[in-house]
Amino acid sequence: MVGELSNTPANQKQQSSLSYTVEQLVAVNPYNPDILPDIENYVNEQVSSQTYSLNANLCLLRLYQVEPERMSTQIVARILIKALMAMPAPDFSLCLFLIPERVQMEEQFKTLIVLSHSLE
């Protein structure tokens, strides 16, 4: 019975569509605030699966600029940490430019900024 459930089209779509759908959504409609929860979940998936998508992360940070009340500082911190791990690529600076200064002044972000300067 479990085998039958895992082969249903709905379950196959759930298993394989998250990253594919998010990448597709980012490419097709990057400024749609309705995709914000999907991209946030994708950031969490990147952390747990040790993958990285700069385009999706930048898209999310741009959406946070449009809708600052929906910003999750925990997600922003995860994006910056993933960007730090991509050094020496300029990903960290690209992400940082999209984050408001008031958020950058929080202690957790100050620490990440100091760390990025140390790594350069």
Side-chain angles (χ1 to χ4, degrees):
M1 200 175 230
V2 173
E4 291 174 359
L5 288 176
S6 64
N7 290 329
T8 63
N11 285 338
Q12 287 174 351
K13 185 178 178 185
Q14 278 183 328
Q15 291 171 357
S16 65
S17 69
L18 181 62
S19 62
Y20 182 71
T21 302
V22 169
E23 292 291 338
Q24 226 178 15
L25 288 173
V26 167
V28 173
N29 199 1
Y31 294 101
N32 181 354
D34 295 336
I35 66 172
L36 203 141
D38 294 324
I39 304 175
E40 288 176 333
N41 289 334
Y42 187 54
V43 170
N44 290 327
E45 181 185 301
Q46 289 177 57
V47 171
S48 63
S49 66
Q50 298 180 5
T51 58
Y52 180 61
S53 172
L54 177 62
N55 288 336
N57 295 346
L58 290 174
C59 178
L60 180 58
L61 293 174
R62 284 191 296 270
L63 284 171
Y64 282 158
Q65 285 183 319
V66 176
E67 303 220 6
E69 69 281 355
R70 295 178 67 182
M71 180 182 287
S72 165
T73 55
Q74 182 181 21
I75 296 290
V76 172
R78 289 178 178 176
I79 289 172
L80 287 177
I81 290 168
K82 293 298 283 185
L84 270 177
M85 294 169 66
M87 291 286 239
D91 298 10
F92 185 84
S93 295
L94 288 171
C95 292
L96 198 60
F97 288 131
L98 295 174
I99 299 169
E101 188 176 352
R102 64 174 171 71
V103 176
Q104 291 182 28
M105 292 296 115
E106 293 180 21
E107 197 58 41
Q108 62 181 339
F109 298 111
K110 285 182 180 179
T111 303
L112 290 173
I113 293 167
V114 169
L115 181 60
S116 76
H117 291 305
S118 298
L119 291 172
E120 288 179 348

